[in-house]
Amino acid sequence: MKVFTSVKDIGSLDVAIKEALEIKKDRFAFNELGKNKTLLMIFFNSSLRTRLSTQKAAMNLGMNVIVLDVNQGAWKLETERGVIMDGDKPEHLLEAIPVMGCYCDVIGVRSFARFENKKDDYEEKILNQFVKYSGRPVFSMESATVHPLQAFADLITIEEYKTKERPKVVLTWAPHPKSLPQAVPNSFAQWMLAANYDLVITHPHGYELDPEFTSGAVIDYDQNHALEGADFVYAKNWSAFKDPYYGKILSTDRSWTVTAEKMALTNDAYFMHCLPVRRNMIVSDDVIEGPRSLVIPEAANREISAQVVLKRLLEGISKP
């Protein structure tokens, strides 16, 4: 594997899940694979779980790790081609990227949607420049449109807790005070559909996601109806995708908050969220703290999903 940005890059999900569960039994079984290899993690945006889990996964594989927060201590980077650089950005990404590639063997990039230009966001301009110019294997630590490490961890978690071959999984929009990207719900939908789960997506009108990621899912605008019989409930906010409202908040309707009353409509479902979570906006305290909440096991599996991906990338380096 040379690039990881999508479920399409991981190959067979059955094989990937089996590999993940084997790694979980012994995280240090492949610690010679990364010996004398360096991972460079580049953050254009804040991170807690992604930074810690990916760094831990790399260390499990014997890798050295360099972490670069572009917004703290680095030169401000220009990302657009053809601009006259007479402002506050003294370095261009086109020079910075190949320089970064000189100092490492694998690169992870975290760069959120800017909501300035939908076309630029959905073309993944920053991530794809790293793929094109770094000369190194590149993986997404969340980009403008996808968060595959999170979705892979979500899939591992559901596989560990499901009691039927094809569970009903409900992705529900929930209110939030800030405008958030579509990356997590995009990837979650993509991975759940690839796993052939019974996926239902519920949200208010106007919050339809890109059909590229949701084609094959049931879309239900009635949250209560959607939750009926659910085995897993994944709550997440996202901003509008469709023009002319791209990146905008269209609703803060608190009736969409996932509460104990909402969960009572399900098949005693497990609750999931990628974290960080706005309590009593996205989910009530009693649900996230309840016995059916998987948010901590789910977060723990971020280490495992990252380790599978890094292992595959390292194996790709060793092949001629």
Side-chain angles (χ1 to χ4, degrees), residues 272-315:
M272 301 178 70
H273 188 279
C274 60
L275 302 181
V277 67
R278 300 268 184 153
R279 284 179 175 232
N280 303 307
M281 285 285 294
I282 300 290
V283 58
S284 61
D285 288 333
D286 53 353
V287 171
I288 196 169
E289 294 176 11
R292 305 294 281 181
S293 173
L294 295 181
V295 296
I296 303 305
E298 184 183 357
N301 277 333
R302 290 293 308 278
E303 176 187 347
I304 306 305
S305 65
Q307 191 164 337
V308 173
V309 169
L310 285 170
K311 176 177 173 287
R312 298 274 188 98
L313 293 170
L314 288 169
E315 290 169 341

Side-chain angles (χ1 to χ4, degrees), residues 34-247:
K35 184 177 181 180
N36 299 327
K37 296 289 192 299
T38 298
L39 167 65
L40 174 59
M41 299 165 60
I42 302 163
F43 292 90
F44 289 84
N45 300 94
S46 301
S47 177
L48 190 151
R49 276 149 297 279
T50 297
R51 175 170 176 170
L52 296 179
S53 63
T54 308
Q55 187 165 354
K56 178 62 164 62
M59 293 166 65
N60 293 349
L61 292 166
M63 300 186 77
N64 304 308
V65 181
I66 301 171
V67 178
L68 175 64
D69 184 337
V70 171
N71 299 311
Q72 295 184 12
W75 298 113
K76 288 188 176 180
L77 295 173
E78 178 58 63
T79 60
E80 298 300 318
R81 184 185 291 274
V83 300
I84 298 173
M85 292 175 58
D86 58 355
D88 65 343
K89 298 175 181 177
E91 183 157 15
H92 202 289
L93 205 60
L94 291 177
E95 285 78 60
I97 289 173
V99 167
M100 293 176 194
C102 294
Y103 306 139
C104 65
D105 301 280
V106 178
I107 297 177
V109 182
R110 185 175 180 90
S111 178
F112 293 174
R114 296 180 176 182
F115 293 143
E116 295 171 359
N117 184 301
K118 178 178 172 180
K119 183 173 182 289
D120 285 352
D121 285 345
Y122 270 74
E123 287 181 352
E124 295 286 9
K125 290 184 70 173
I126 291 179
L127 179 63
N128 284 330
Q129 286 186 77
F130 277 91
V131 173
K132 186 174 182 179
Y133 298 114
S134 69
R136 296 288 182 258
V138 173
F139 66 99
S140 170
M141 299 193 299
E142 187 172 358
S143 64
T145 67
V146 291
H147 196 351
L149 287 176
Q150 178 65 53
F152 188 12
D154 297 334
L155 177 62
I156 295 166
T157 306
I158 292 174
E159 285 293 309
E160 289 180 311
Y161 285 87
K162 73 180 186 180
T163 58
K164 61 180 71 169
E165 185 62 28
R166 192 169 187 260
K168 179 179 179 180
V169 180
V170 177
L171 169 62
T172 179
W173 179 93
H176 195 283
K178 295 180 65 177
S179 185
L180 298 186
Q182 300 96 31
V184 169
N186 281 346
S187 277
F188 184 77
Q190 185 182 49
W191 285 69
M192 296 303 104
L193 289 166
N196 195 33
Y197 293 158
D198 178 9
L199 178 65
V200 177
I201 304 175
T202 184
H203 53 70
H205 287 278
Y207 279 101
E208 295 79 8
L209 294 163
D210 186 344
E212 176 186 343
F213 299 100
T214 62
S215 180
V218 173
I219 310 300
D220 193 334
Y221 297 100
D222 182 335
Q223 187 191 42
N224 289 348
H225 181 260
L227 291 171
E228 292 176 4
D231 300 298
F232 295 86
V233 174
Y234 197 103
K236 185 70 181 77
N237 175 267
W238 62 89
S239 59
F241 166 73
K242 289 186 175 181
D243 294 329
Y245 303 108
Y246 175 65

Side-chain angles (χ1 to χ4, degrees), residues 13-34:
L13 286 183
D14 289 339
V15 172
I17 291 165
K18 182 179 179 181
E19 188 173 352
L21 297 178
E22 287 299 317
I23 283 174
K24 197 167 184 177
K25 292 176 184 175
D26 184 358
R27 289 165 167 79
F28 304 103
F30 301 95
N31 61 3
E32 289 294 313
L33 188 60

